[in-house]
Amino acid sequence: MKVIVTVVEKIISEAHIDIPNGLNQSAIKEHIVDRYNTGEMQTEMNIFQVDFQSISARIVQEQSDAKSA
């Protein structure tokens, strides 16, 4: 019997980054999104918390290879 198990988790990560002084709220958001989209921030992300959301299992019926000779 084969079972496919799906686990859903919510992962919260933290990154401590330096942002140039003098930016308004919109520019700060854009700076953070740009750093994330270019991959610069991903290496700085540390897993801060993992919350279990759900788990499910589905039984897969295996078909036999009954071939006539």
Side-chain angles (χ1 to χ4, degrees), residues 4-68:
I4 298 172
V5 177
T6 303
V7 177
V8 177
E9 298 174 332
K10 180 172 102 178
I11 299 173
I12 300 171
S13 299
E14 261 187 14
H16 298 250
I17 61 174
D18 293 320
I19 295 178
N21 293 327
L23 300 179
N24 63 22
Q25 186 175 357
S26 177
I28 291 171
K29 287 180 184 179
E30 184 177 332
H31 181 79
I32 292 170
V33 169
D34 287 347
R35 294 245 343 240
Y36 182 80
N37 286 340
T38 60
E40 293 176 52
M41 197 165 67
Q42 291 180 351
T43 58
E44 301 171 1
M45 297 286 252
N46 294 316
I47 294 177
F48 180 70
Q49 180 180 343
V50 178
D51 293 330
F52 173 77
Q53 299 287 312
S54 67
I55 187 168
S56 63
R58 181 169 46 104
I59 297 172
V60 178
Q61 296 291 334
E62 295 185 51
Q63 300 202 2
S64 63
D65 283 336
K67 295 181 182 176
S68 52

